[in-house]
Amino acid sequence: MKPEPVRLRKELGLLEGFTLIMGNVIGSGIFVAPKGVITYVGSVGMSLAVWAVSGLLTMLGGLCFTELGTMIPQTGGMYVYLHEAFGPLPAFLYLWVTVVLRNNATAAVVALTFASYLIQGVTGGCEAVPDAAVRLLAAILICFLSWVNCMNVKWAAKVQNVFTLSKVVALVVVIVTGAVHLGAGHLDNYHGVMAGTNWKAGAIATAFYQSLFSYDGWDKVYYVAEELKNPERDLPIAIFLATTLLTVLYTLTNAAYLAVLTPAEMISSGAVALTFADRTLGVAARLMPIFVMCSTFGTINGYILMQSRLIFAGARKGQLPEVFSLVSTVHMTPVVAIVVHGVLLLLMLVTSDVILLINYSIYAATLTHLGCMGALFWFRYKEPKRPRPFKVFLVLPVIFTVILVFLLVLPATQNPSDVGVGIALISSGLPVYYFTIHRKDIAGKFTRLLGRLTVWCQVLFMGLPEMDRRLASAAAADDDDGVGGNTSRRTSRNDTHCD
């Protein structure tokens, strides 16, 4: 019997790619973030314009990234693009700020939101929710979804499919309710839609930060490009369909909010969706916390599924310990990377003051998108004949890059301290890179310890590094000759690529 190569399986299709994008983007943000947009722009009309343009910007970015994703269909997304274009340092800085802070902080907040809504639903809306209970429930959720992702990537994708549907249903409920409200003749909030607009460039740019935070997650599908059955076909279609639907849903959802609530009421609300439901749905308003819980549940699952692939890719490139690149020989999942990511999420629950970290890291996210656009232009210049199954018109990445530059510069006039901290978070990875990667002599002192850790994890998780296609073929040939005992155990080095 020919041995199966130890590598990630291509088990995700177009539906999974579509739902992964939708599931990652639609989190708790759309249910609470609209008040941030209206706070900065001040008017109904400008608020809706910001949400619609943010959706178009997301679609534009998605199409640009699809060229990179189909040209380099490897697990790791932006990390891989930066590594191939500019080398290990920029890639490591992206890996550092994303793995250690940005996505983990965001996911931890979403997990806490789920736990808080669940406890409030069980206790009948008790306002004094015990902090310890919220943290414990959030930890249980993280552990459960980490286990699901370890067991089977298809299970994780099916969880995403189910809960993505519930998220869309929640938004449809809001949209239909708002439409009925408008149909009943309640049009007062739409008289003078541009009245009170704050036309300052810095304020408008910061409002885009608020809305783009709710769209955040569209780029995560590239983390699992290698596990798509047909990335050349599925990536462009999934990105286009998902970003189009998201733009329509988000814009109409905010139109519904603003049909019922005045800008002042939205700004004063702690949770816009709940205030909206209490005002319009009556007894059925109790369903809104359930919808929010389903939304956050699916978001956490998506973060674990995709963020673990980023850790896996970093280890495979040699910028994280080799042990993180182990693949389960039973489930064919990056089990150690998933466990490590779960532990990092649990560590985030030690503090409740993670919102500030999230705000600071938004600037870093925009900067990494700009870096990837630089990679796209670099590949166009250095490797013009490289196969590109999907190629965007050059004007699109140019427009996207110009917009990113404005989004980086203009908020600095509004919140210079936040921008400074965002840069500091990225820069903090420089000494880590120097001592662990650049200075091989220092890092080499830990080789034996890391080697023991790798062996221990191989035994504990039944994992092996991915096998190169050539080694897998040789193992299969040796097995046919009856001498495959030792060869089948040979494994590739960290920079081996999956099929």
Side-chain angles (χ1 to χ4, degrees), residues 6-122:
V6 180
R7 59 174 181 250
L8 302 184
R9 288 174 176 163
K10 291 177 174 289
E11 294 193 291
L12 306 181
L14 176 59
L15 175 62
E16 286 76 20
F18 171 79
T19 55
L20 282 173
I21 300 171
M22 296 291 292
N24 263 280
V25 173
I26 305 177
S28 57
I30 186 58
F31 300 109
V32 295
K35 85 170 192 175
V37 176
I38 199 72
T39 298
Y40 284 106
V41 299
S43 69
V44 172
M46 183 58 77
S47 175
L48 294 179
V50 167
W51 282 99
V53 173
S54 294
L56 294 177
L57 180 60
T58 299
M59 182 186 297
L60 180 61
L63 292 175
C64 294
F65 271 64
T66 298
E67 176 174 324
L68 292 169
T70 54
M71 184 176 68
I72 312 173
Q74 298 177 22
T75 294
M78 287 189 282
Y79 169 79
V80 177
Y81 314 148
L82 291 171
H83 195 284
E84 283 212 17
F86 306 124
L89 178 56
F92 178 82
L93 292 179
Y94 167 76
L95 187 70
W96 170 258
V97 74
T98 303
V99 170
V100 175
L101 291 173
R102 178 178 169 237
N103 287 351
N104 289 336
T106 304
V109 171
V110 177
L112 292 169
T113 302
F114 170 90
S116 178
Y117 275 101
L118 178 57
I119 292 176
Q120 288 189 33
V122 172

Side-chain angles (χ1 to χ4, degrees), residues 30 90 152 178 215 223 229 380 420 424:
I30 186 58
N152 194 314
Y215 281 99
Y223 288 175
K229 296 175 182 176
R380 287 281 187 101

Side-chain angles (χ1 to χ4, degrees), residues 374-457:
L376 186 148
F377 293 130
W378 178 254
F379 286 128
R380 287 281 187 101
Y381 171 71
K382 292 291 290 185
E383 303 181 37
K385 295 183 179 180
R386 185 168 180 169
R388 291 172 170 82
F390 182 89
K391 186 176 182 179
V392 295
F393 293 111
L394 186 59
V395 66
L396 296 184
V398 170
I399 294 174
F400 187 58
T401 299
V402 171
I403 294 173
L404 289 176
V405 170
F406 276 104
L407 289 176
L408 286 170
V409 174
L410 292 179
T413 63
Q414 187 80 12
N415 299 302
S417 61
D418 288 357
V419 172
V421 174
I423 295 175
L425 290 176
I426 298 176
S427 302
S428 65
L430 289 172
V432 178
Y433 176 85
Y434 178 77
F435 287 109
T436 61
I437 297 176
H438 181 71
R439 288 291 302 274
K440 298 293 186 182
D441 56 327
I442 297 177
K445 297 178 180 180
F446 300 94
T447 300
R448 180 174 296 181
L449 177 63
L450 291 175
R452 290 178 179 176
L453 177 63
T454 300
V455 172
W456 184 79
C457 286

